Amino acid sequence: MAGQPAAVVFLVLFALVATGESRLMRHTNRIALFNPTTMCKDDIQYQKICLKVAKASGATSPNALVQANVEAAITTTQQAAIQVGKLMNSSSQDYQGIMGSALHACQESYDSLLDALHQSQVLLQTRGSHDDLMTQLSAASTHVTTCTDSVGEVPEASYPPEKVHSLLGKLVSNTLDLGAKLNAHNEKH
């Protein structure tokens, strides 16, 4: 009989350890299950860009992948804004008149875009409302479109920062797609 209490204590301790170990394994499996390649390939318009950002950032969670894409969009927006600022300050007649108006619209759009992306960063870092995040990401997309439309109104003109602007549009599109997936991923876990 003296061995029975020891056996009961052993079984209770074994059950506690096994339960704790099981919880640890489930937590570890959740972390190990995140694959940015899968997230970038499902319903993301610009998959190659998403995969490059994922690889460069080493994102280990859906939230981190969205954050990395937002950060890439911020950097690209800053590059585009610098290029537009230089064109606006140039003395070339090519950047006066209607093209000057388009550049001014783009400069304002990039400023607003940066605000929306910074707000998105804050929401991602603080795990803010998904609806608020999507509102900011949608606003970011609108700001890119505003610049595109402004430049499109200039007949037969080329937009010198076109490559940077094009990349920016793709990054913002990806952030919007990934942001939508973030909510779906969070609801599953």
Side-chain angles (χ1 to χ4, degrees):
M1 285 292 193
Q4 280 186 338
V8 170
V9 169
F10 172 77
L11 287 175
V12 169
L13 286 174
F14 179 76
L16 288 173
V17 168
T19 303
E21 197 170 292
S22 172
R23 285 186 195 139
L24 179 61
M25 288 300 291
R26 278 195 306 267
H27 177 71
T28 303
N29 285 341
R30 250 187 264 139
I31 292 171
L33 290 179
F34 176 70
N35 182 351
T37 302
T38 301
M39 194 167 175
C40 284
K41 287 191 175 184
D42 293 338
D43 302 320
I44 301 298
Q45 190 170 2
Y46 303 102
Q47 297 173 0
K48 288 181 182 178
I49 293 171
C50 183
L51 291 168
K52 285 181 182 179
V53 171
K55 185 176 180 179
S57 69
T60 58
S61 71
N63 188 294
L65 181 58
V66 177
Q67 284 187 48
N69 276 271
V70 168
E71 289 169 16
I74 287 171
T75 300
T76 305
T77 303
Q78 291 167 336
Q79 292 170 351
I82 289 168
Q83 288 181 16
V84 167
K86 286 179 181 177
L87 292 174
M88 289 174 63
N89 292 329
S90 78
S91 60
S92 171
Q93 291 297 331
D94 293 342
Y95 305 116
Q96 307 300 318
I98 192 167
M99 182 51 117
S101 295
L103 290 173
H104 182 72
C106 286
Q107 188 68 45
E108 287 180 352
S109 292
Y110 292 151
D111 289 344
S112 298
L113 175 56
L114 282 171
D115 289 341
L117 291 171
H118 285 299
Q119 286 297 318
S120 298
Q121 260 186 332
V122 169
L123 289 164
L124 287 162
Q125 291 167 353
T126 62
R127 305 264 184 197
S129 157
H130 184 260
D131 289 342
D132 291 345
L133 173 64
M134 294 308 294
T135 297
Q136 292 300 325
L137 294 176
S138 294
S141 181
T142 299
H143 298 307
V144 171
T145 302
T146 299
C147 177
T148 303
D149 291 348
S150 295
V151 172
E153 292 174 8
V154 179
E156 297 181 32
S158 68
Y159 181 58
E162 176 59 37
K163 285 185 180 181
V164 173
H165 183 76
S166 176
L167 174 59
L168 177 58
K170 292 171 183 177
L171 285 165
V172 170
S173 176
N174 280 357
T175 62
L176 194 55
D177 292 345
L178 290 166
K181 294 174 74 114
L182 185 63
N183 191 46
H185 180 81
N186 288 342
E187 289 174 355
K188 290 179 187 175
H189 297 286

